[in-house]
Amino acid sequence: MSVESVQYLPGKQPHARERRLTFRNVDRAGFDPSIECYLRDGGYEQLHKAVTMERQAIINEVKASGLRGRGGAGFPTGVKWGFIPPTNTKPVYLICNADESEPGTFKDRYIMHQDPHQLVEGMVISCFAVKASLAYIYIREEFPEAAKILEKALDEARAKNFLGKNILGSGYDLEIYIHRGAGAYICGEETGLIESLEGKRPYPRIKPPYFPAALGLYMCPTIVNNVESLCHVKHIIAMGGAEYAKLGTPNNTGTRILCVSGDVQRPGYFEVEVGKVTMGEVINDMCGGMKSGRTLKAIIPGGSSAKVLRADEKFKLKDGRELGIMDIPMDFDTMAACGSMAGSGGVIIMDDSRSMSWVLNNLNAFYAHESCGQCTPCREGSLWMKKISDRIVAGNASPSDVDELERLANNIEGRTICAFGEACSWPTQSFVQKFREEMKAGTKSEIEDRIVAGETELAAAGLVG
Amino acid sequence: MIRFRMDVPGELEAKMDEVITHYPVKRSAVLPLLHLVQQHFRHINDAAVTWVANKLGLEPIQVLEVVTFYPGFRQSAPGKYHIRVCRTLSCAMAGSYELMESLCKTANIDRSHVDHHHPIAVSPDGKYSIEFAECLASCGTGPVCMVEDDFHEAVAPEKAAELLGKYQ
């Protein structure tokens, strides 16, 4: 069935600039999550094909596709798979990371709700490739409906022998179970997720080993991939790695889902070829521009942990190009060159009505709440940053508090077991660096502060009023 | 030694026994068992912690440390309908704090005692309880909230009464 023949629900038509692969069936008219519907649409054909392939050939296709993980770090999926020690004799596990919880990100929810079999098919192919015979979907607790839909999808797949013993006569056995989290953001970190799946507090593990492919679940080789990444595997098998790599731009191949929220006319999700649309096209063409009468102030381009971009910034690239914020192509490498990251694809747009102190405070409250508490700089620092930004928002801070915020963030980054340290310090660093004057403007002067403090002290000692 | 009593219906225990078979290591079933306990008893008390520990051959502290870590597990009883309002940036920009205020006012809930370790506030009649949740992953349709397992998008603060009306 060609893409053109796919009809979408009224008002839910994909934008002309979109290229729908993993979101092909999202909001599609007449499409439902049942296996019958999926099979009518050519479902599980790629699994039939994959089980006749050599395992290494599948891994090679995924490597050739250039697919980079869609969960946030953007690490090449095929390379990750290749980290399983060749001499391994232990069981291999695969875990689908469906703990979608990076603020600003809302893509996996739609795949699981509307097209669960795409994920199951992608997962079974991936498990076959890495020789996993037991796999889990670690899904966040706040997705109870998605968990039920996936549970049903797995039962349906089992009944059709796409799962279970001797899948499609290939001699390959696989079982997939749903494992529900319990509301902790840190479970999105892959080693934290593994600890959680082992029934413990999700304290991320000390690196090295850097990849659970070496030592993961139950100290066995384990592959952890995001929902969207696993769905792409199905399309890579369908198209072939080389053909897939023609989508997008070099080193930033394929399609990805951008989730846009905040102060635009039409927030939403858009699946685009990586790097083929610019930030300006996303905001003005796809999202209908800023809310009326408002102008752009700042953008968080890749989930809340990504460094904020200021509307009037100019970004100098190594090749000599200078980009304005609207010219940035939505890919991994350019976004990194502009000092931020494409991360999870969650784009949060803020207009001139927003106080940057208030925005940062909201994010600091998130990170203070979600720090697992294992490493001192992050546990203490994230809460401290929240308390200072509370003061700034309340108008009780001194100007030096703003600088103190940055100093604190600088002392967390790079000093923690997992990347949460960076995730919680990057917003503070970037907001303070780019909006320092605005944040200081809402504070009291140092002198006034000291007078107040002095008077309080004197009053406490009973010396004045 | 304090002895805890807990009556677990046979049907619930059968579900737990099935879930335990999903894992090569029994301890992995801590979270799923706690979910089943919470679904049935509405919260997880000390008796339940000890019961789950015994079931899985663990020390009670190994279960308690899990219960106290995850925001999804409750140690005190919620209302008949438990509400979670998304607090994080995109929803906050769309008015989730106003939604929280409006829901509390409508359900007569006082949140003044709420802190990090006691996030849940219950209405005097026990009908509703409420807490803020961190990013519920629907940032494009904020403000969003959950009532029990139901998900509600674009809930304007003025729609609070209408929403609560569905849960009687």
Side-chain angles (χ1 to χ4, degrees):
Chain A
M1 193 182 271
S2 70
V3 177
E4 286 69 36
S5 68
V6 175
Q7 299 292 316
Y8 290 88
L9 297 169
K12 300 270 191 181
Q13 277 84 4
H15 189 271
R17 298 294 303 275
E18 284 193 66
R19 175 76 164 87
R20 294 263 179 125
L21 281 183
T22 60
F23 259 39
R24 180 168 176 266
N25 300 327
V26 169
D27 299 327
R28 184 175 163 188
F31 194 86
D32 66 63
S34 72
I35 198 164
E36 288 76 22
C37 182
Y38 189 70
L39 287 170
R40 273 199 302 275
D41 196 40
Y44 288 103
E45 273 172 22
Q46 304 317 318
L47 177 62
H48 277 278
K49 182 173 164 188
V51 293
T52 64
M53 290 169 72
E54 290 290 327
R55 291 191 155 86
Q56 190 56 46
I58 299 175
I59 296 175
N60 290 344
E61 290 298 328
V62 175
K63 279 184 181 165
S65 76
L67 176 66
R68 294 171 68 167
R70 301 294 194 246
F75 193 83
T77 305
V79 177
K80 203 182 211 183
W81 290 4
F83 287 152
I84 296 173
T87 54
N88 174 60
T89 51
K90 294 193 263 186
V92 175
Y93 298 103
L94 186 140
I95 304 169
C96 167
N97 186 343
D99 195 54
E100 175 159 71
S101 43
E102 175 79 10
T105 318
F106 49 101
K107 56 192 180 65
D108 301 342
R109 168 194 289 280
Y110 295 99
I111 293 176
M112 293 187 284
H113 275 229
Q114 300 190 30
D115 198 4
H117 283 285
Q118 179 189 197
L119 173 60
V120 175
E121 184 173 7
M123 243 184 119
V124 179
I125 295 170
S126 306
C127 287
F128 177 78
V130 301
K131 278 195 203 167
S133 52
L134 187 53
Y136 296 95
I137 301 174
Y138 188 103
I139 184 168
R140 66 180 300 194
E141 179 257 342
E142 296 89 335
F143 285 176
E145 200 185 333
K148 277 185 204 137
I149 293 168
L150 284 169
E151 201 84 64
K152 183 163 176 269
L154 291 174
D155 287 343
E156 290 172 331
R158 216 170 274 130
K160 299 266 185 204
N161 193 220
F162 300 133
L163 207 55
K165 297 272 177 216
N166 190 18
I167 294 170
L168 302 174
S170 63
Y172 170 63
D173 302 341
L174 171 69
E175 204 38 83
I176 300 178
Y177 295 113
I178 308 280
H179 185 95
R180 294 181 67 200
Y185 170 73
I186 198 65
C187 293
E189 202 274 355
E190 57 185 5
T191 61
L193 185 155
I194 286 169
E195 289 285 307
S196 177
L197 190 40
E198 290 186 358
K200 303 169 193 165
R201 284 188 166 197
Y203 291 146
R205 291 181 181 170
I206 291 171
K207 288 90 180 165
Y210 292 99
F211 292 93
L215 278 181
L217 186 63
Y218 313 124
M219 291 296 154
C220 296
T222 305
I223 298 296
V224 184
N225 287 141
N226 173 261
V227 170
E228 190 189 343
S229 310
L230 288 167
C231 290
H232 277 288
V233 171
K234 173 196 156 170
H235 301 284
I236 291 166
I237 296 304
M239 300 168 75
E243 200 60 29
Y244 179 94
K246 288 179 189 165
L247 293 171
T249 50
N251 202 38
N252 298 270
T253 58
T255 61
R256 80 170 308 182
I257 303 150
L258 300 175
C259 315
V260 188
S261 63
D263 301 320
V264 286
Q265 295 278 359
R266 292 188 302 273
Y269 40 77
F270 306 94
E271 184 167 11
V272 296
E273 288 189 49
V274 185
K276 287 283 179 74
V277 296
T278 63
M279 184 68 88
E281 288 166 331
V282 170
I283 294 176
N284 294 322
D285 302 345
M286 299 178 138
C287 297
M290 303 299 292
K291 286 188 177 159
S292 83
R294 291 290 170 192
T295 53
L296 179 69
K297 184 169 183 180
I299 299 172
I300 298 172
S304 65
S305 311
K307 289 188 175 178
V308 69
L309 305 172
R310 207 180 56 208
D312 60 355
E313 267 185 280
K314 295 281 175 233
F315 306 95
K316 277 211 167 72
L317 304 186
K318 273 184 187 156
D319 60 10
R321 278 184 299 160
E322 191 182 78
L323 300 180
I325 195 166
M326 292 303 207
D327 312 323
I328 304 173
M330 304 302 283
D331 68 28
F332 292 97
D333 293 339
T334 319
M335 206 58 89
C338 293
S340 190
M341 64 173 180
S344 59
V347 183
I348 307 175
I349 313 282
M350 290 158 278
D351 69 23
D352 57 341
S353 70
R354 303 292 174 188
S355 150
M356 292 297 110
S357 301
W358 179 86
V359 169
L360 177 61
N361 184 230
N362 185 286
L363 295 179
N364 281 349
F366 173 80
Y367 290 106
H369 187 266
E370 299 300 333
S371 171
C372 79
Q374 190 176 207
C375 312
T376 312
C378 170
R379 180 186 63 238
E380 303 299 317
S382 61
L383 186 61
W384 197 352
M385 292 195 297
K386 180 206 173 261
K387 285 179 176 173
I388 292 179
S389 58
D390 277 346
R391 278 211 297 277
I392 296 174
V393 170
N396 293 327
S398 67
S400 66
D401 275 340
V402 176
D403 304 318
E404 182 71 358
L405 258 186
E406 188 184 9
R407 189 188 69 83
L408 274 170
N410 292 343
N411 278 301
I412 301 172
E413 186 186 13
R415 292 181 170 84
T416 54
I417 287 173
C418 81
F420 189 102
E422 283 72 36
C424 77
S425 44
W426 287 346
T428 290
Q429 288 173 338
S430 58
F431 272 93
V432 172
Q433 281 160 12
K434 296 179 184 183
F435 298 99
R436 194 184 305 267
E437 294 318 309
E438 180 191 332
M439 292 173 84
K440 284 194 177 185
T443 60
K444 295 175 181 175
S445 81
E446 295 279 5
I447 295 165
E448 190 189 345
D449 233 26
R450 280 190 213 149
I451 293 169
V452 173
E455 277 172 359
T456 317
E457 221 168 277
L458 290 172
L463 296 174
V464 292
Chain B
M1 185 188 159
I2 307 165
R3 300 199 60 90
F4 294 106
R5 268 184 52 78
M6 181 152 130
D7 295 317
V8 175
E11 201 181 313
L12 180 62
E13 191 163 2
K15 265 189 207 167
M16 293 180 176
D17 288 331
E18 197 277 324
V19 164
I20 293 171
T21 66
H22 295 184
Y23 306 95
V25 177
K26 254 185 164 183
R27 186 173 179 179
S28 280
V30 171
L31 267 77
L33 258 54
L34 289 173
H35 277 306
L36 287 168
V37 166
Q38 183 164 288
Q39 272 160 24
H40 187 83
F41 296 100
R42 301 290 288 156
H43 71 290
I44 301 163
N45 63 12
D46 290 346
V49 167
T50 309
W51 192 93
V52 169
N54 284 338
K55 183 84 192 160
L56 296 174
L58 301 170
E59 293 299 327
I61 186 64
Q62 293 174 306
V63 177
L64 182 65
E65 67 172 8
V66 169
V67 174
T68 54
F69 185 92
Y70 292 90
F73 294 131
R74 303 184 287 259
Q75 289 180 281
S76 60
K80 184 179 173 192
Y81 298 107
H82 185 58
I83 306 163
R84 289 185 277 185
V85 179
C86 178
R87 190 208 63 84
T88 322
L89 187 55
S90 300
C91 277
M93 284 164 63
S96 64
Y97 278 75
E98 293 79 0
L99 173 62
M100 171 60 95
E101 206 173 300
S102 171
L103 284 167
C104 286
K105 207 173 159 195
T106 311
N108 194 21
I109 298 174
D110 172 18
R111 284 187 81 246
S112 59
H113 63 283
V114 159
D115 65 28
H116 182 81
H117 296 286
H118 308 89
I120 298 174
V122 189
S123 67
D125 60 2
K127 198 160 156 189
Y128 303 106
S129 55
I130 201 160
E131 68 180 318
F132 265 134
E134 295 301 340
C135 192
L136 291 176
S138 190
C139 316
T141 56
V144 301
C145 68
M146 292 176 76
V147 184
E148 293 296 308
D149 280 356
D150 301 343
F151 184 63
H152 299 277
E153 296 169 274
V155 189
E158 54 274 19
K159 286 187 187 159
E162 191 188 317
L163 176 68
L164 294 182
K166 291 178 192 160
Y167 299 92
Q168 289 302 321

